Amino acid sequence: MERAELFDAGSKGRGLRAAKELNTGEVIFSEPSFAAVVFDSLATQVCHSCFRHKANLHRCAQCKFAHYCDRTCQTACWNEHKQECGAIKKLGSAPSENIRLAARVLWRMHKDTGIASDSQLISVDQLQEHVADLAAEDFKQLRADVHKFLQYWSYGTRQHSVDYISHIFGIIKCNGFTLSDQRGLQAVGVGLFPNLCLVNHDCWPNCTVILNHGNQSAVSSALHSQRRIELRALGKIPEGEELTVSYVDFLNLSADRQKKLKERFHFDCTCEHCSKHIEDDLMTAGADSKPSADKVKEVTVFSKESLEKIEKSRVEGDYNEVLKLCYECLQKQENVLADTNLYKLQVLSIASEVLSYQRSFAKAADYAHRMVEGYRKLYHPNNAQLGMAIMRAGVTHWHAGQIEEGHSLICQAYRILMVTHGSNHAITKDLEGMRTQTELELKMFKQNKAAYQTMRDAALNPLKLCKQPLSRD
């Protein structure tokens, strides 16, 4: 924690600020999880140690619930899983992820008294919670979770009051950090990171957070690295400036972001972008042809209804119907909604994904290009989601045979993800391989276009990124 220090952030409470000047892409701090669990729905598909999505996982022979890449991952996770394993066997089945995480937090607190290392700035039970502010339904659910927790909990004679357990659940609800798989494509679990919890929100932040899954491939366990989050600087940060991350996706109107933040985190966002409604006009913009306000409103309502139908068809796996609805919606939006309009961007994104899945890469590339151009006008230039979108657009253009545009987009994505993820992350390594391959193909294309086209048609093999439409969870 040499690069960050705790300070009083006024009405926001505690916060972290730069202890010295920070450079773009610099890792400000990394932090292993205090406790983390895989989502219930993915318990058999994701390693419970490194959180990598993987086929043919090995099941814990004792509880028959936890799954691991191999014995190395199982051994690395044993300290976390040991008491959980006994509790699951005693109960007969595994409880929900919230209950499992609360139990792991308490077991770790008993072991380390809430402070896992010298670099941890605050004890876990001192983190912010808003149990008293919960809506009636949420409070009812919390009470139900506490009741189930008491059935699950086993720690000798050491017991806790209902209020204290509720306090822990409140901390998790407010501070739980969603963990993604090794490709950053799917949320697979949730964890608690005490130092990260001290970083306050801003809709236009100066930092980003990524999950580094660590490395357990070395023969010697002494060379293994832990699963951890990394807080990275999105640009130059002067000494003394508060460090911030965004708790929600920026691609929402300021009022919608404020509503989400109030409901989930119980505070009123007063950041500059919310206070001044920055970029709200672009997100709701009409086309350059200047259609009437009534026409824009009509098409906006139609788009909202269409997206609900599109999502229903997507969930049912009827991708032909998804495309039909997308085409109808885009036709209605033409010359009415701008390419920065949120509803248009959503339809362009879905259409591009499904067309890639159906291997209609030329059409998919056209929609991906329009989507990325809209994103560029809205997102921070080093936003991780912008980088991921440009990467997917680059792959789509590559498979469409548009090697010059594909290589250019992949290089642009690589530059962004070097800032947000760093050179050792699995996604960046994938991109480095794509960048090298497209550079070679671009040279071949420039030397002999006909030979390149023949080679491409024979060797085309879509990457995993284009094998199926991405989860929208």
Side-chain angles (χ1 to χ4, degrees), residues 1 27-32 119 195 228-231:
M1 296 299 292
V27 177
I28 301 165
F29 67 80
S30 63
E31 180 183 20
S119 62
N195 286 345
R228 62 198 183 275
I229 58 92
E230 292 176 353
L231 185 73

Side-chain angles (χ1 to χ4, degrees), residues 68-82:
Y68 302 98
C69 294
D70 48 35
R71 187 166 292 280
T72 303
C73 273
Q74 186 171 7
T75 301
C77 193
W78 180 240
N79 282 338
E80 284 185 272
H81 179 57
K82 183 178 180 180

Side-chain angles (χ1 to χ4, degrees), residues 409-418 428 431-432 435:
L409 287 166
I410 285 169
C411 288
Q412 292 168 40
Y414 184 75
R415 182 195 64 76
I416 295 172
L417 296 188
M418 279 292 287
T428 320
L431 257 180
E432 175 62 27
R435 192 175 67 145

